[in-house]
Amino acid sequence: MARIKPQALLQQSKKKKGPARISVITIILYSLIVVVTVFFLYATYRHWSQRSRTQIEYRQSVFKGDTDNSFVDLKKSDLPGYAILDTAKGSITVELFKDNFPEVVDQFLDLCHKGHFNGMLFRHVIKHYVIQAGDSDKLEAAEDWTLKGKHYSQLDTSLKHEAFMLGTSKKKHDNGAFELFITTAPIPDLNEKLIVFGKVVKGEDIVQEIEEVDTDEHYRPKSSIAIRSVTLKQSV
């Protein structure tokens, strides 16, 4: 077997190619690809994490709102919806408009709990118009009704203008001066004078019996008629 001379081996080794070098441009290109990929992954992560956080906050706010509304509805449902006025003539049952005038109803209920209406007299009885119970001897809200005739019954009436509506004067009720008015006929300008917060649902005959009592020239009953007590109920 022929021997290869050392010089020939040296020449062959020189002829062999060395490892290929990576150019600078290639390195920069790969680096850019890596940076863009990382940035894309990071942006995607931020997007989905922010979206999840927003959804959680929205669900919490909705849950809180539903809870608050449920609490308010529950509170309203717990309030008595009816008041029974026990008078010397008999009992008058009134449905309270809790949703329409909650502040007035709350004040009325609070005064009932304090016994404010116990022993309160019907101060004025105006036939075909209204009976008024209160601590004041003044007509005030009902004063000019006494100057008008029975033509009221021929005028337009709406729900709150019907007979047997319960209301109170629109003046500020200082020192608990909360008057009660029960209409005995349709009154078109009722809302201009009173805040209507209830309606008689039982005992209309008792209201009419009180309306028929004898009065003096100032529409004051000649014989005392009082509200002896008020009983609150959620249903009747």
Side-chain angles (χ1 to χ4, degrees):
M1 185 175 178
R3 292 183 179 181
I4 302 175
K5 294 181 179 181
Q7 292 180 351
L9 289 173
L10 182 60
Q11 290 178 354
Q12 289 179 0
S13 64
K14 289 181 179 180
K15 291 180 181 180
K16 289 182 179 180
K17 295 181 179 179
R21 296 181 179 179
I22 301 175
S23 65
V24 176
I25 296 177
T26 304
I27 295 174
I28 294 174
L29 182 62
Y30 279 109
S31 299
L32 288 175
I33 292 174
V34 171
V35 170
V36 170
T37 303
V38 171
F39 177 79
F40 175 77
L41 293 175
Y42 177 74
T44 303
Y45 167 76
R46 284 289 302 274
H47 170 74
W48 286 105
S49 63
Q50 183 67 27
R51 181 175 180 180
S52 300
R53 189 181 303 111
T54 302
Q55 289 177 344
I56 292 173
E57 291 175 353
Y58 172 75
R59 290 172 183 172
Q60 289 177 343
S61 64
V62 170
F63 176 76
K64 183 179 179 181
D66 290 343
T67 303
D68 293 341
N69 291 335
S70 299
F71 177 76
V72 171
D73 292 340
L74 181 62
K75 185 177 179 181
K76 282 185 178 180
S77 64
D78 286 344
L79 292 176
Y82 296 85
I84 301 175
L85 312 181
D86 179 33
T87 75
K89 298 289 186 180
S91 296
I92 302 170
T93 302
V94 178
E95 180 183 2
L96 303 175
F97 299 153
K98 297 185 291 183
D99 294 330
N100 294 353
F101 297 100
E103 293 181 359
V104 176
V105 172
D106 287 345
Q107 186 179 9
F108 172 77
L109 295 176
D110 182 59
L111 291 173
C112 288
H113 287 301
K114 294 178 179 178
H116 174 76
F117 301 105
N118 296 349
M120 178 177 285
L121 295 175
F122 284 94
R123 298 287 182 176
H124 298 95
V125 173
I126 308 173
K127 290 185 179 180
H128 309 297
Y129 292 98
V130 69
I131 59 176
Q132 173 201 13
D135 295 326
S136 174
D137 219 17
K138 298 179 181 180
L139 277 171
E140 295 184 349
E143 188 169 6
D144 65 336
W145 289 344
T146 64
L147 305 176
K148 299 180 180 180
K150 294 183 180 181
H151 64 280
Y152 272 129
S153 60
Q154 302 172 359
L155 299 179
D156 176 59
T157 60
S158 64
L159 175 62
K160 291 185 179 180
H161 298 154
E162 295 177 357
F164 306 111
M165 306 305 291
L166 175 68
T168 188
S169 61
K170 290 187 174 182
K171 70 175 184 177
K172 292 185 178 179
H173 303 127
D174 298 328
N175 301 322
F178 195 105
E179 299 175 307
L180 296 179
F181 294 82
I182 300 177
T183 62
T184 60
I187 302 177
D189 62 346
L190 180 62
N191 289 337
E192 297 177 8
K193 301 179 179 300
L194 303 179
I195 299 174
V196 178
F197 67 94
K199 180 179 182 179
V200 176
V201 294
K202 187 177 180 181
E204 293 92 337
D205 57 328
I206 304 300
V207 175
Q208 291 174 331
E209 190 173 344
I210 296 174
E211 181 189 25
E212 293 300 323
V213 300
D214 291 333
T215 61
D216 61 18
E217 65 273 15
H218 301 293
Y219 304 96
R220 293 175 298 199
K222 291 182 178 180
S223 58
S224 298
I225 306 173
I227 298 174
R228 295 187 292 197
S229 63
V230 179
T231 303
L232 301 176
K233 290 190 174 183
Q234 288 191 344
S235 60
V236 293

